[in-house]
Coordinates of all heavy atoms in Angstrom, one line a residue:
Q1 N 97.2 89.2 114.2 CA 97.8 89.8 113.1 C 97.1 91.3 112.9 O 96.0 91.5 113.3 CB 97.6 89.0 111.8 CG 98.4 87.9 111.8 CD 98.2 87.1 110.4 OE1 97.1 87.2 109.8 NE2 99.3 86.5 110.0
V2 N 98.0 92.2 112.4 CA 97.5 93.5 112.1 C 97.7 93.7 110.6 O 98.8 93.5 110.1 CB 98.3 94.6 112.9 CG1 97.9 95.9 112.4 CG2 98.2 94.3 114.4
I3 N 96.7 94.1 109.9 CA 96.8 94.4 108.5 C 96.6 95.9 108.3 O 95.7 96.5 108.8 CB 95.6 93.7 107.7 CG1 95.8 92.2 107.9 CG2 95.7 94.1 106.3 CD1 94.6 91.4 107.4
V4 N 97.6 96.5 107.5 CA 97.7 97.9 107.2 C 97.5 98.0 105.8 O 98.2 97.4 105.0 CB 99.0 98.5 107.7 CG1 99.0 100.0 107.4 CG2 99.3 98.2 109.2
V5 N 96.5 98.9 105.4 CA 96.2 99.2 103.9 C 96.6 100.6 103.6 O 96.1 101.5 104.3 CB 94.8 98.8 103.5 CG1 94.5 99.1 102.1 CG2 94.5 97.4 103.9
Y6 N 97.4 100.8 102.6 CA 97.8 102.1 102.2 C 97.2 102.4 100.8 O 97.2 101.6 99.9 CB 99.3 102.3 102.0 CG 100.1 101.9 103.3 CD1 100.6 100.7 103.5 CD2 100.3 102.9 104.2 CE1 101.3 100.3 104.6 CE2 101.1 102.6 105.4 CZ 101.5 101.3 105.5 OH 102.2 101.0 106.7
E7 N 96.7 103.6 100.6 CA 96.2 104.1 99.3 C 96.9 105.5 99.1 O 96.9 106.3 100.0 CB 94.8 104.4 99.2 CG 93.9 103.1 99.3 CD 92.5 103.3 99.2 OE1 92.0 104.5 99.3 OE2 91.7 102.3 99.0
V8 N 97.6 105.7 97.9 CA 98.3 106.9 97.7 C 98.0 107.4 96.3 O 98.2 106.6 95.3 CB 99.8 106.7 97.8 CG1 100.6 107.9 97.5 CG2 100.2 106.1 99.1
P9 N 97.5 108.6 96.1 CA 97.4 109.2 94.8 C 98.7 109.2 94.0 O 99.7 109.4 94.7 CB 96.8 110.6 95.0 CG 96.4 110.6 96.4 CD 97.1 109.6 97.1
C10 N 98.7 108.8 92.8 CA 99.9 108.7 92.0 C 99.7 109.1 90.6 O 98.9 108.6 89.9 CB 100.4 107.3 92.1 SG 102.1 107.0 91.5
A11 N 100.5 110.1 90.2 CA 100.4 110.6 88.8 C 100.9 109.6 87.8 O 100.4 109.6 86.6 CB 101.3 111.9 88.6
N12 N 101.7 108.6 88.1 CA 102.3 107.6 87.2 C 102.3 106.3 88.0 O 103.3 105.9 88.5 CB 103.7 107.9 86.7 CG 104.2 107.0 85.7 OD1 103.8 105.8 85.7 ND2 105.1 107.4 84.9
P13 N 101.1 105.6 88.0 CA 100.9 104.4 88.8 C 102.0 103.3 88.5 O 102.4 102.6 89.3 CB 99.5 103.9 88.6 CG 98.8 105.1 88.1 CD 99.8 106.0 87.4
D14 N 102.3 103.1 87.2 CA 103.3 102.0 86.8 C 104.6 102.3 87.5 O 105.3 101.4 88.0 CB 103.4 101.9 85.3 CG 102.1 101.4 84.7 OD1 101.3 100.6 85.4 OD2 101.8 101.7 83.5
Q15 N 105.1 103.6 87.4 CA 106.3 103.9 88.0 C 106.2 103.8 89.6 O 107.1 103.4 90.3 CB 106.8 105.3 87.6 CG 108.2 105.7 88.1 CD 108.6 107.1 87.6 OE1 107.8 107.9 87.0 NE2 109.8 107.4 87.8
G16 N 105.1 104.3 90.1 CA 104.8 104.2 91.5 C 104.9 102.8 92.0 O 105.5 102.5 93.1
I17 N 104.3 101.8 91.3 CA 104.3 100.4 91.7 C 105.8 99.9 91.7 O 106.2 99.2 92.6 CB 103.4 99.6 90.8 CG1 102.0 99.8 91.1 CG2 103.7 98.1 91.0 CD1 101.5 99.5 92.5
A18 N 106.5 100.3 90.7 CA 107.9 99.9 90.6 C 108.7 100.4 91.8 O 109.5 99.6 92.4 CB 108.5 100.4 89.3
L19 N 108.5 101.6 92.2 CA 109.2 102.2 93.3 C 108.7 101.5 94.6 O 109.6 101.2 95.5 CB 109.0 103.7 93.4 CG 109.7 104.5 92.3 CD1 109.2 105.9 92.4 CD2 111.2 104.4 92.5
L20 N 107.4 101.3 94.7 CA 106.9 100.5 95.9 C 107.6 99.2 96.1 O 107.9 98.7 97.1 CB 105.4 100.4 95.9 CG 104.6 101.6 96.4 CD1 103.1 101.4 96.1 CD2 104.9 101.9 97.8
K21 N 107.7 98.5 95.0 CA 108.3 97.2 95.0 C 109.7 97.2 95.4 O 110.2 96.3 96.1 CB 108.1 96.5 93.6 CG 106.7 96.0 93.3 CD 106.6 95.3 92.0 CE 105.1 94.9 91.8 NZ 105.0 94.2 90.5
D22 N 110.4 98.2 95.0 CA 111.8 98.4 95.4 C 111.9 98.6 97.0 O 112.7 98.0 97.6 CB 112.4 99.6 94.7 CG 112.8 99.4 93.3 OD1 112.7 98.2 92.9 OD2 113.0 100.4 92.6
V23 N 111.0 99.4 97.5 CA 110.9 99.6 99.0 C 110.6 98.3 99.6 O 111.3 98.0 100.6 CB 109.8 100.7 99.3 CG1 109.6 100.8 100.8 CG2 110.3 102.1 98.7
I24 N 109.6 97.6 99.1 CA 109.2 96.3 99.7 C 110.4 95.3 99.7 O 110.7 94.6 100.7 CB 108.0 95.7 99.0 CG1 106.8 96.6 99.4 CG2 107.8 94.3 99.5 CD1 105.5 96.3 98.6
Q25 N 111.2 95.3 98.6 CA 112.3 94.4 98.6 C 113.4 94.9 99.6 O 114.0 94.0 100.3 CB 112.9 94.4 97.2 CG 114.0 93.4 97.0 CD 113.5 91.9 97.2 OE1 112.6 91.5 96.6 NE2 114.2 91.2 98.2
H26 N 113.6 96.2 99.7 CA 114.6 96.7 100.7 C 114.1 96.2 102.1 O 114.9 95.8 102.9 CB 114.6 98.2 100.6 CG 115.5 98.8 101.7 ND1 116.9 98.6 101.7 CD2 115.2 99.5 102.8 CE1 117.4 99.3 102.8 NE2 116.3 99.7 103.5
E27 N 112.8 96.3 102.4 CA 112.3 96.0 103.7 C 112.6 94.4 104.0 O 113.0 94.1 105.0 CB 110.8 96.2 103.8 CG 110.5 97.7 103.8 CD 109.0 98.0 103.7 OE1 108.2 97.1 103.2 OE2 108.6 99.1 104.0
A28 N 112.2 93.6 103.0 CA 112.5 92.2 103.1 C 114.0 91.8 103.3 O 114.3 90.9 104.1 CB 111.9 91.5 101.8
D29 N 114.8 92.6 102.7 CA 116.3 92.3 102.7 C 116.9 92.8 104.0 O 117.9 92.2 104.4 CB 117.0 92.9 101.5 CG 116.7 92.3 100.2 OD1 116.1 91.1 100.2 OD2 116.9 92.9 99.2
T30 N 116.4 93.9 104.6 CA 117.1 94.5 105.7 C 116.4 94.7 107.0 O 117.0 95.0 108.0 CB 117.7 95.9 105.2 OG1 116.6 96.7 104.9 CG2 118.6 95.8 104.1
S31 N 115.1 94.6 107.0 CA 114.3 94.8 108.2 C 114.6 93.7 109.2 O 114.4 92.5 108.8 CB 112.8 95.0 108.0 OG 112.1 95.1 109.2
P32 N 114.9 94.0 110.5 CA 115.0 93.0 111.5 C 113.7 92.5 111.9 O 113.6 91.5 112.7 CB 115.8 93.7 112.6 CG 115.4 95.2 112.5 CD 115.2 95.4 111.0
I33 N 112.6 93.1 111.6 CA 111.2 92.8 111.9 C 110.5 92.1 110.7 O 110.4 92.8 109.7 CB 110.4 93.9 112.5 CG1 111.0 94.6 113.7 CG2 109.0 93.5 112.8 CD1 112.0 95.6 113.4
A34 N 110.2 90.9 110.8 CA 109.5 90.2 109.7 C 108.1 90.6 109.5 O 107.3 90.7 110.5 CB 109.6 88.7 109.9
Y35 N 107.7 91.0 108.3 CA 106.3 91.2 107.9 C 106.2 91.1 106.4 O 107.2 91.1 105.7 CB 105.9 92.6 108.4 CG 106.6 93.8 107.9 CD1 106.3 94.5 106.8 CD2 107.8 94.2 108.6 CE1 107.0 95.6 106.4 CE2 108.5 95.3 108.2 CZ 108.1 96.0 107.1 OH 108.8 97.1 106.6
T36 N 105.0 90.9 106.0 CA 104.7 90.8 104.6 C 104.1 92.0 104.0 O 103.3 92.7 104.7 CB 103.7 89.6 104.4 OG1 104.2 88.4 105.0 CG2 103.4 89.3 102.9
S37 N 104.5 92.3 102.8 CA 103.9 93.5 102.1 C 103.8 93.2 100.6 O 104.6 92.6 100.1 CB 104.9 94.7 102.3 OG 104.3 95.9 101.8
V38 N 102.8 93.8 100.0 CA 102.5 93.7 98.6 C 102.0 95.0 98.1 O 101.2 95.6 98.7 CB 101.6 92.5 98.3 CG1 100.2 92.7 98.8 CG2 101.5 92.3 96.8
A39 N 102.5 95.3 96.9 CA 102.1 96.6 96.2 C 101.1 96.3 95.1 O 101.2 95.3 94.5 CB 103.3 97.4 95.7
T40 N 100.2 97.2 94.9 CA 99.2 97.1 93.9 C 98.8 98.4 93.2 O 98.8 99.4 93.9 CB 98.0 96.3 94.4 OG1 97.2 95.9 93.2 CG2 97.2 97.0 95.4
K41 N 98.3 98.4 92.0 CA 97.8 99.5 91.4 C 96.2 99.4 91.6 O 95.6 98.4 91.3 CB 98.1 99.5 89.8 CG 97.4 100.6 89.1 CD 97.9 100.5 87.6 CE 97.2 101.5 86.7 NZ 97.5 101.4 85.3
L42 N 95.7 100.5 92.1 CA 94.2 100.5 92.5 C 93.4 101.1 91.4 O 92.2 100.8 91.4 CB 94.1 101.1 93.9 CG 94.8 100.5 95.0 CD1 94.8 101.4 96.3 CD2 94.3 99.1 95.3
S43 N 94.0 102.1 90.7 CA 93.2 102.7 89.6 C 94.3 103.5 88.8 O 95.5 103.3 89.0 CB 92.1 103.7 90.2 OG 92.8 104.9 90.7
D44 N 93.7 104.3 87.8 CA 94.6 105.0 86.9 C 95.4 106.1 87.7 O 96.4 106.6 87.1 CB 93.9 105.7 85.8 CG 93.4 104.7 84.8 OD1 93.9 103.5 84.8 OD2 92.4 104.9 84.0
A45 N 95.0 106.4 88.9 CA 95.7 107.5 89.6 C 95.9 107.1 91.1 O 96.0 108.0 91.9 CB 95.0 108.8 89.5
L46 N 95.9 105.8 91.4 CA 96.0 105.4 92.8 C 96.8 104.1 92.9 O 96.5 103.1 92.2 CB 94.6 105.2 93.4 CG 94.4 105.0 94.8 CD1 94.8 106.3 95.6 CD2 92.9 104.7 95.1
V47 N 97.7 104.1 93.8 CA 98.5 102.9 94.1 C 98.4 102.6 95.5 O 97.9 103.5 96.3 CB 100.1 103.0 93.7 CG1 100.2 103.2 92.2 CG2 100.7 104.1 94.5
G48 N 98.7 101.4 95.9 CA 98.6 101.1 97.3 C 99.4 99.9 97.7 O 100.1 99.3 96.9
A49 N 99.4 99.6 99.0 CA 100.1 98.4 99.5 C 99.3 97.9 100.7 O 98.5 98.6 101.4 CB 101.5 98.8 100.0
V50 N 99.6 96.6 100.9 CA 99.0 95.9 102.1 C 100.1 95.2 102.8 O 100.9 94.5 102.3 CB 97.9 94.8 101.7 CG1 97.4 94.1 102.9 CG2 96.8 95.4 100.8
D51 N 100.2 95.6 104.1 CA 101.2 95.1 105.0 C 100.5 94.2 106.1 O 99.5 94.5 106.5 CB 102.0 96.1 105.8 CG 102.8 97.0 105.0 OD1 103.0 96.8 103.7 OD2 103.3 98.0 105.4
V52 N 101.2 93.0 106.3 CA 100.6 92.1 107.4 C 101.7 91.9 108.4 O 102.8 91.4 108.2 CB 100.2 90.8 106.8 CG1 99.7 89.8 107.9 CG2 99.2 90.9 105.8
H53 N 101.4 92.3 109.7 CA 102.3 92.2 110.8 C 101.8 91.2 111.8 O 100.5 91.0 111.9 CB 102.4 93.6 111.5 CG 102.9 94.7 110.6 ND1 104.2 95.0 110.5 CD2 102.2 95.6 109.8 CE1 104.4 96.0 109.6 NE2 103.1 96.4 109.3
Q54 N 102.7 90.5 112.5 CA 102.3 89.5 113.4 C 101.5 90.0 114.7 O 100.7 89.3 115.3 CB 103.5 88.8 113.9 CG 104.1 87.9 112.7 CD 103.0 86.9 112.1 OE1 102.3 86.2 112.8 NE2 102.8 87.0 110.8
S55 N 101.7 91.3 115.0 CA 101.0 91.9 116.2 C 101.2 93.4 116.1 O 101.9 93.9 115.3 CB 101.8 91.4 117.5 OG 103.0 91.9 117.5
M56 N 100.5 94.1 117.0 CA 100.5 95.5 117.1 C 101.9 95.9 117.5 O 102.5 96.9 116.9 CB 99.5 96.1 118.1 CG 99.5 97.6 118.2 SD 98.9 98.4 116.6 CE 97.1 98.1 116.8
A57 N 102.6 95.2 118.4 CA 103.9 95.6 118.8 C 104.9 95.4 117.6 O 105.8 96.2 117.5 CB 104.4 94.6 120.0
A58 N 104.7 94.3 116.8 CA 105.6 94.1 115.7 C 105.5 95.2 114.7 O 106.4 95.6 114.0 CB 105.3 92.7 115.1
M59 N 104.2 95.6 114.5 CA 104.0 96.8 113.5 C 104.7 98.0 114.0 O 105.3 98.7 113.2 CB 102.4 97.0 113.4 CG 102.1 98.2 112.5 SD 100.4 98.7 112.5 CE 100.3 99.5 114.1
E60 N 104.6 98.3 115.3 CA 105.3 99.5 115.8 C 106.7 99.4 115.7 O 107.4 100.4 115.4 CB 104.8 99.7 117.3 CG 103.3 100.2 117.4 CD 102.8 100.2 118.8 OE1 103.5 99.7 119.7 OE2 101.6 100.5 118.9
Q61 N 107.3 98.2 115.9 CA 108.7 98.0 115.7 C 109.1 98.2 114.3 O 110.2 98.8 114.0 CB 109.1 96.6 116.2 CG 109.0 96.4 117.7 CD 109.3 94.9 118.1 OE1 109.1 94.0 117.3 NE2 109.7 94.7 119.3
A62 N 108.3 97.7 113.4 CA 108.6 97.9 111.9 C 108.6 99.4 111.6 O 109.5 99.9 110.9 CB 107.6 97.1 111.1
F63 N 107.6 100.1 112.1 CA 107.5 101.6 111.8 C 108.8 102.3 112.4 O 109.3 103.2 111.8 CB 106.3 102.2 112.4 CG 105.0 101.8 111.7 CD1 103.8 102.1 112.3 CD2 105.0 101.1 110.5 CE1 102.6 101.8 111.7 CE2 103.8 100.8 109.9 CZ 102.6 101.1 110.4
D64 N 109.2 101.9 113.6 CA 110.3 102.5 114.2 C 111.6 102.2 113.4 O 112.4 103.1 113.1 CB 110.6 102.0 115.6 CG 109.6 102.5 116.6 OD1 108.9 103.5 116.3 OD2 109.5 101.9 117.7
W65 N 111.7 101.0 112.9 CA 112.8 100.6 112.0 C 112.8 101.4 110.7 O 113.8 102.0 110.4 CB 112.8 99.2 111.7 CG 113.8 98.8 110.6 CD1 115.2 98.6 110.9 CD2 113.6 98.7 109.2 NE1 115.8 98.5 109.6 CE2 114.9 98.5 108.6 CE3 112.5 98.9 108.4 CZ2 115.0 98.4 107.2 CZ3 112.7 98.8 107.1 CH2 113.9 98.5 106.5
Q66 N 111.7 101.6 110.1 CA 111.6 102.3 108.9 C 112.0 103.8 109.1 O 112.8 104.3 108.3 CB 110.1 102.3 108.4 CG 109.6 101.0 107.9 CD 108.1 101.0 107.6 OE1 107.3 101.8 108.1 NE2 107.7 99.9 106.9
E67 N 111.6 104.4 110.1 CA 111.9 105.8 110.4 C 113.4 106.0 110.7 O 114.0 107.0 110.4 CB 111.2 106.3 111.6 CG 109.7 106.5 111.2 CD 108.8 106.9 112.5 OE1 109.4 107.2 113.6 OE2 107.6 106.9 112.3
S68 N 114.1 104.9 111.2 CA 115.5 105.0 111.5 C 116.4 104.5 110.4 O 117.6 104.7 110.4 CB 115.8 104.2 112.7 OG 115.7 102.8 112.5
D69 N 115.9 103.9 109.3 CA 116.6 103.3 108.2 C 116.8 104.4 107.2 O 115.8 104.8 106.5 CB 116.0 102.1 107.7 CG 116.8 101.4 106.6 OD1 117.7 100.7 106.9 OD2 116.5 101.7 105.4
E70 N 118.0 104.9 107.0 CA 118.2 106.0 106.0 C 117.9 105.7 104.6 O 117.3 106.5 103.9 CB 119.7 106.5 106.2 CG 120.1 107.2 107.5 CD 121.5 107.6 107.5 OE1 122.2 107.6 106.5 OE2 121.9 108.0 108.7
A71 N 118.2 104.5 104.2 CA 117.8 104.0 102.8 C 116.4 104.0 102.6 O 115.9 104.4 101.6 CB 118.5 102.7 102.6
W72 N 115.6 103.5 103.6 CA 114.2 103.4 103.5 C 113.6 104.8 103.4 O 112.7 105.1 102.6 CB 113.6 102.7 104.7 CG 112.1 102.4 104.6 CD1 111.5 101.3 104.1 CD2 111.0 103.3 105.0 NE1 110.1 101.4 104.1 CE2 109.8 102.6 104.7 CE3 111.0 104.5 105.6 CZ2 108.6 103.2 105.0 CZ3 109.7 105.1 105.9 CH2 108.6 104.4 105.6
V73 N 114.1 105.7 104.3 CA 113.6 107.1 104.2 C 113.9 107.7 102.9 O 113.0 108.4 102.3 CB 114.2 107.9 105.4 CG1 113.9 109.4 105.3 CG2 113.7 107.4 106.7
A74 N 115.1 107.5 102.4 CA 115.5 108.1 101.1 C 114.6 107.6 100.0 O 114.1 108.3 99.0 CB 116.9 107.8 100.8
M75 N 114.2 106.3 100.0 CA 113.4 105.7 99.0 C 112.0 106.3 99.1 O 111.3 106.5 98.1 CB 113.3 104.2 99.2 CG 114.7 103.4 98.9 SD 114.6 101.7 99.3 CE 114.2 101.1 97.7
Q76 N 111.5 106.5 100.3 CA 110.2 107.0 100.4 C 110.2 108.5 99.9 O 109.2 108.9 99.2 CB 109.7 107.0 101.9 CG 109.4 105.7 102.4 CD 108.1 105.1 101.7 OE1 107.2 105.9 101.5 NE2 108.1 103.8 101.5
T77 N 111.2 109.2 100.2 CA 111.3 110.6 99.8 C 111.3 110.7 98.2 O 110.7 111.6 97.7 CB 112.5 111.3 100.3 OG1 112.5 111.2 101.8 CG2 112.6 112.7 100.0
S78 N 112.0 109.7 97.6 CA 112.0 109.7 96.2 C 110.7 109.5 95.5 O 110.5 109.9 94.3 CB 113.0 108.7 95.6 OG 112.4 107.4 95.7
T79 N 109.7 109.0 96.2 CA 108.4 108.8 95.6 C 107.5 110.1 95.7 O 106.5 110.1 95.0 CB 107.6 107.6 96.3 OG1 107.3 108.0 97.6 CG2 108.5 106.4 96.2
I80 N 107.9 111.1 96.5 CA 107.0 112.2 96.6 C 106.6 112.9 95.4 O 105.4 113.2 95.2 CB 107.7 113.2 97.6 CG1 107.7 112.6 99.0 CG2 106.9 114.6 97.6 CD1 108.5 113.4 100.1
P81 N 107.5 113.1 94.4 CA 107.0 113.7 93.1 C 105.9 112.9 92.4 O 105.1 113.5 91.7 CB 108.3 113.8 92.3 CG 109.4 113.8 93.2 CD 108.9 112.9 94.4
L82 N 105.9 111.7 92.6 CA 104.9 110.8 91.9 C 103.5 111.0 92.6 O 102.5 110.6 92.0 CB 105.3 109.3 91.9 CG 106.5 109.0 91.1 CD1 106.8 107.5 91.2 CD2 106.2 109.3 89.6
T83 N 103.5 111.4 93.9 CA 102.2 111.3 94.6 C 101.5 112.7 94.5 O 100.5 112.9 95.2 CB 102.5 111.1 96.1 OG1 103.3 112.1 96.6 CG2 103.1 109.7 96.3
T84 N 101.9 113.5 93.6 CA 101.3 114.8 93.4 C 100.5 114.7 92.1 O 101.0 114.5 91.1 CB 102.3 116.0 93.3 OG1 103.1 116.0 94.4 CG2 101.6 117.3 93.2
I85 N 99.2 114.9 92.3 CA 98.3 114.9 91.1 C 97.7 116.2 90.8 O 97.3 116.9 91.7 CB 97.2 113.9 91.3 CG1 97.8 112.4 91.3 CG2 96.2 113.9 90.1 CD1 96.8 111.3 91.5

């Protein structure tokens, strides 16, 4: 297994977590590559997520899917204003 941990500065962590959960739900609903992800608030100005992939190849396939999925890219882009502190 491959575990990926993300930490992102966030001006509004509650809103950031809500958006991350939307992204994770989209991944669960539409990604052809199965993996697990959970979002969490790490501090007053930091959010994060933990992804668990079955292998390095599966992780790379998931990343390729993310980059090619227009809805996923749009969701990520919508979070940019929150990541500026």
Side-chain angles (χ1 to χ4, degrees):
Q1 289 184 327
V2 177
I3 298 172
V4 182
V5 179
Y6 303 93
E7 293 182 349
V8 180
C10 188
N12 185 335
D14 293 330
Q15 188 178 8
I17 289 297
L19 290 171
L20 277 174
K21 287 181 178 181
D22 289 346
V23 170
I24 290 168
Q25 188 61 55
H26 174 73
E27 292 169 343
D29 291 345
T30 60
S31 175
I33 299 89
Y35 57 97
T36 303
S37 186
V38 64
T40 188
K41 180 178 173 181
L42 300 170
S43 73
D44 288 341
L46 191 65
V47 296
V50 177
D51 295 353
V52 179
H53 301 272
Q54 291 304 309
S55 66
M56 184 66 76
M59 179 189 73
E60 291 170 355
Q61 290 173 336
F63 289 169
D64 288 344
W65 171 81
Q66 290 169 344
E67 291 174 7
S68 69
D69 184 80
E70 290 180 15
W72 188 92
V73 171
M75 294 172 94
Q76 288 293 324
T77 302
S78 75
T79 67
I80 290 173
L82 293 177
T83 60
T84 305
I85 295 181

